Amino acid sequence: MLHRLLAAVRGRGSRRGWRKGSPARGSASAAAAPPVALPAQAQVVVCGGGIMGTSVAYHLSKMGWKDVVLLEQGRLAAGSTRFCAGILSTARHLAIEQKMADYSNKLYHQLEQETGIQTGYTRTGSIFLAQTQDRLISLKRINSRLNVVGIPCEIVSPKKVAELHPLLNVHDLVGAMHVPEDAVVSSADVALALASAASQSGVQIYDRTSILHVMVKRGQVTGVETDKGQIQCQYFVNCAGQWAYELGLCSEEPVSIPLHACEHFYLLTRPWETPLPSSTPTVVDADGRIYIRNWQGGILSGGFEKNPKPIFTEGKNQLEIQNLQEDWDHFEPLLSSLLRRMPQLETLEIVKLVNCPETFTPDMRCIMGESPSVRGYFVLVGMNSAGLSFGGGAGKYLAEWMVHGYPSENVWELDLKRFGALQSSRTFLRHRVMEVMPLLYDLKVPRWDFQTGRQLRTSPLYDRLDAQGARWMEKHGFERPKYFVPPDKDLLALEQSKTFYKPDWFEIVESEVKCCKEAVCVIDMSSFTKFEITVHCWAWLKKYMPEDSNLILEDVTWKYTALNLIGPRAVDVLSELSYAPMTPDHFPSLFCKEMSVGYANGIRVMSMTHTGEPGFMLYIPIEYALHVYNEVMSVGQKYGIRNAGYYALRSLRIEKFFAFWGQDLNTLTTPLECGGESRVKLDKGVDFIGRDALLQQRQNGVYKRLTMFILDDHDTDLDLWPWWGEPIYRNGRYVGKTTSSAYGYTLERHVCLGFVHNFSEDTGEEQVVTADFINRGEYEIDIAGHRFQAKAKLYPVPSLLTHKRRKEDVELSDLHGK
Amino acid sequence: MSSTVSYWILSSARKTIATLQGGQRLYSRYASNRIKSKGRLFPQGPATLKDHAAACGGIALQKAYRHTSTEEEDFHLQLSPEQVNEVLRAGESAHKILDLVSRAPDSVLRFESNQLAANSPVEDRGGIAACLQTNGLLFGIFDGHGGHACAQAVSERLFYYVAVSLMSQQTLEQMEEAMESMKPLLPILQWLKHPGDSIYKDVTSVHLDHLRVYWQELLNLQMEMGLNTEEALMYSFQRLDSDISLEIQAPLEDEMTRNLSLQVAFSGATACLAHIDGVHLHVANAGDCRAILGVQEDNGMWSCLPLTQDHNAWNPAELSRLKREHPESEDKTVIMENRLLGVLMPCRAFGDVQLKWSKELQRGVLQRGFDTEALNIYQFTPPHYYTPPYLTARPEVTYHRLRPQDKFLVLASDGLWDVLGNEDVVRLVVEHLAEEGQHKPDLAQKPTNLGLMQSLLQQRKAQGLHAADQNAATRLIRYAIGNNEYGEMEPERLSAMLTLPEDLARMYRDDITVTVVYFNSDSIGASSKGS
């Protein structure tokens, strides 16, 4: 039946003649038709005729780029797009994903009217079920984020769920989220409609044309070689879905696109005795790992099982493609879950079990943007089973990116450049996606870490720290200590420590923070300095490096271990180890010196700690790492030194209003927007990239401002903890979202950082944000639907207590000196 | 009772004799398996421990406990079903005939093999290779004792000896010519090994020299068509064994090679080698590995056709052969306690020069300054050692012309046959084949709605069918170690057997190596009609 449906679609598609731009030939007679000559050149070549490729072509043509050729190796909309379950859902964790899905929803809604092609768009709404309180919290968090961007959405009781969908068993539910404007649609028809519209505005579409090679000269795309000839082009867009990884390698300068496919199963049934009405809402039962939608009066139900089956690890494999069969035994847990949710469906007759591989990415976010190594090489893939939801919006942003240089929204989180070389290992990808796919429906609690692909990059001190009780987190393959469990303390097992409330490590981190404030701590930050600076900035730095200078840019990540000595006694430890005066007179703040520490020479010492606390960063050539660490620990003993982890660091730096690159700040943040104007030499007559823009911004004012919020009526023990992405309300009106948060042990309050905007009350347009605007407001932070009062600060809270204690210390040591 | 079995295996490894009393009956079952453990050549070796264990369980187990380095806590470890599968499948390999060289016989459809170690390191070896200069596939199983050196050497070299023996005069001349003019040799074999299999690279040049001497002798025989398969198998076995024996008698320069040769000669290995060329199946066997055919009669009934005789004390033909070959005065001593001279289970094997050379020769060789202790070699002369050799590597060669009803061939080391009978093995492979066919519920036939489908799937899950092994060899091993005394599969037992620490595993099971070869009945049928 599905085939018949698709055949009908194809028939319609060819009747509509979406191939207008190319020499006319019916798709049905493709095999017999004489070979069609491809154009010799085009501005843009898009590879992939699925929803992504057609959406990019559609939006490019809308924006006036008409010299576009779209190539598809098989037939249009025949890959994952064809088998996609057709659920359009706007309930996403990331704000940018919400925006993409919302745009897609609006686009598909009017597509039928625009193109005349039936897309099967039906606004059914969707219901997200919660079997546990934790799941309900997770839904509430999404709910408050959806509400602020204007997507209707509400938390409903189980009773209401039963009214919305009478077939559902609601006895085990604690609540649900209802998103009334979500829709179902035939994804293949959407792709065909997009293709048809694009073709009418001049895009040339060729199917059964495979790209063999992408030609690159001097870091710039120059054309593609296909099995039907060459096309010269300035831009190439890789929308090849699960083949994108391989296609990325088919080029003089390989482009690493980290994604991997897993088999994905869903069930199709015949209509119910009284066919389900087309308005039947889509149901997502994440605790049961399934989704259920109406399909021609029957149901379509699939899920994301705990034990996914990765596929195509070794690239495109004909054997595996043919072997894509129904695996009923594998589907059994999902089927049982379905029948538990809808017991009456027992008598529904099965049509088939569809096996449709989906692609997943290492961090569960899709991949878009330009390759850092090849100019003009754009990528839009890795949709983690949400291709239909993202298709419209993602295509629009990518088209804007190509036409204007950057999209209208901040898609930094989805940028291809976020990945390094690590993610190109097939083994890594295979293991990671086996974790990512179940994670789609797992409960996402604050501070979870991936378990696969671990212990890849480690500091030379890894074993030493591990033996001392370090618990680890991972950032881009680098292990970093979170905190150190004291020998006498037991923490909950991993599974049990998943909580939205106060975590079990609270006291541990508290004592680490206290030690940073009163004595001295050492944090191994080998991953930090190198990674954040190298990967995110590196591509940028390289882009603007003068080509003829004798400057050399090198990634020295692996050459140095970084130790962060934080605390008032760091001075004492270091001066004892170096026999050099370390007082502020000799070593002012933000100063860098090369000196010896212990026996080791050539250690770069910087008087900064990334936290606002006194102390030093030590950049140690890795062969000295263990020596310096041992010396620091043994000398530091009498000053009360101990190990600390990133959680302590985060608490310290957020309390001191230190914004972090990648978390709070990204490539679109200017120094003026985050209180960094004092670090920018605007008035010294030195020119630098972006100076004019900053001057202009100083003149006109900023449209957003990073602000620190201190939660007032928040009970640390009993209330939900903030994480990031919580809506901020000023005088009851939404003004922005938080970017990071931590408990400040000195303030004894939760602290959130976030950007405050000033949306016009009438038009919603962004207006200038002044200090006055920030200061004169009553603020609330919405954590999962509960609003907590917050004080806004533009500058860090001066910590009188710490200051006083330090003064006493100095006096005390003076006394000893005499 | 059954639920305590697996617990017992673990707890018995601990010290409590009280628990042992409860498990006495079971224990004797294991002991009876273990009695067959082959190596009793080396009194100080771990083998002694096992044999004592058979005689007086409790005491030996105490010993065993003392010997284990494993912390007691580790015994609580239970493998999950997934981990069990992982362990069982680690040694898997499977080939479809499509992957093979074009010259491979079309009578073979595909083959699957697997190995599970009990000794550490494993003493079994397996090997599969295609002869490139003649038609034919070779499947070998080698069960080492007293170390793995001999099994390793035989598993590598025997295939070359057989391949060379089968070559025509013309091919041999080409080989010799290439050798003389230092040109690359014709490729002899294509190995179809498991990727994890190791190879002694360092000594292959010495071995090649000896192989060359062998083919030069074959050239001198002036037989245009070469040897027939039966002769080839017969000669290669004996030739290789004599080379192994002679290599260590001749002075060798390189110390590494010399030590290795010594280890090879002073350890032993039984061998079973099948050669398949079209419908012609030859099996050469020396020792107690076994090869059987699974046969399906026209009425659909399955039966088993053994292709080899076990060469051990339970084989009357072997007994009378031994008595014939040695003076009447030794009738009572040549086999004692069901072992050759009271020490060795199999009556035929490669290596084991302690049972082949005269006492003088043994002493002479060993006195040439080997560090025998470091090499794990014990100079030991069994009692009643009067008229060597007592042991031979001469194989018994069976010929079978394949018929359409011959569906598969199972070759395995005695680790499998100790616990599973021939009929059990055939039944398990047949079940495996049947499951492969019906793994997927047929929606066209069953009037299936969601509820019926669910109950069907849950039934399958309960039976554990969904976890069915893809590989018949794995299935055989799973049942070999997971079956309880009633022949039922017991998951806890399976898990417990695989959880045993390295130093205890050999007490409860032997190394198991299995190869299952599936025949293409259609092509066999066609060629039998054609001929």
Side-chain angles (χ1 to χ4, degrees), chain A residues 267 269 299 325-326 328-329 332-333 335-336 338-339 345-352, chain B residues 96 439-441 443 447-458 460-461 465-466:
Chain A
L267 172 79
T269 73
I299 60 151
Q325 292 165 341
E326 27 186 42
W328 277 101
D329 289 312
E332 185 274 333
L335 176 61
S336 296
L338 167 69
L339 290 178
L345 294 192
E346 262 193 9
T347 53
L348 259 187
E349 273 182 70
I350 295 165
V351 172
K352 77 184 287 192
Chain B
K96 281 211 170 89
H439 188 56
K440 202 173 46 166
L443 295 181
T448 323
N449 65 34
L450 291 178
L452 293 175
M453 177 60 90
Q454 185 196 19
S455 57
L456 180 72
L457 292 177
Q458 282 174 344
R460 289 163 60 87
K461 193 171 163 186
L465 285 189
H466 69 290

Side-chain angles (χ1 to χ4, degrees), chain A residues 616-628:
Chain A
F616 301 91
M617 281 295 297
L618 274 56
Y619 293 90
I620 310 158
I622 49 169
E623 64 267 38
Y624 298 141
L626 200 59
H627 172 75
V628 172

Side-chain angles (χ1 to χ4, degrees), chain B residues 382-453:
Chain B
H384 312 294
Y385 194 77
Y386 310 120
T387 51
Y390 287 90
L391 191 65
T392 174
R394 188 159 58 88
E396 211 170 341
V397 180
T398 322
Y399 170 70
H400 179 81
R401 190 189 164 88
L402 289 172
R403 309 155 297 171
Q405 57 264 45
D406 300 328
K407 301 298 180 189
F408 57 86
L409 169 73
V410 181
L411 290 156
S413 60
D414 65 338
L416 183 79
W417 306 112
D418 283 349
V419 268
L420 292 177
N422 292 354
E423 282 73 23
D424 296 332
V425 169
V426 169
R427 177 178 53 81
L428 286 167
V429 177
V430 169
E431 279 175 14
H432 177 78
L433 285 170
E435 260 168 40
E436 270 188 339
Q438 62 158 37
H439 188 56
K440 202 173 46 166
D442 197 348
L443 295 181
Q445 287 173 3
K446 292 180 185 104
T448 323
N449 65 34
L450 291 178
L452 293 175
M453 177 60 90

Side-chain angles (χ1 to χ4, degrees), chain A residues 561-610:
Chain A
T561 289
L563 288 183
N564 195 351
L565 276 179
I566 306 179
R569 310 312 294 263
V571 171
D572 304 299
V573 174
L574 215 53
S575 55
E576 196 169 318
L577 274 172
S578 62
Y579 288 92
M582 303 293 292
T583 57
D585 298 340
H586 294 92
F587 213 129
S589 184
L590 296 177
F591 197 71
C592 182
K593 254 191 207 176
E594 213 170 81
M595 54 194 284
S596 58
V597 177
Y599 299 155
N601 214 346
I603 312 290
R604 289 182 200 182
V605 178
M606 282 173 81
S607 48
M608 63 175 287
T609 59
H610 302 280

Side-chain angles (χ1 to χ4, degrees), chain A residues 26 76 143 156 223 238 384 394 406 413 426 458 463 495 503 590 657 700 731:
Chain A
L76 273 189
N143 180 53
V156 296
N238 182 342
N384 296 297
Y406 202 78
E413 286 156 306
R426 281 320 250 169
T458 55
D463 280 349
E495 201 54 34
L590 296 177
F657 200 177
N700 301 343
N731 298 342

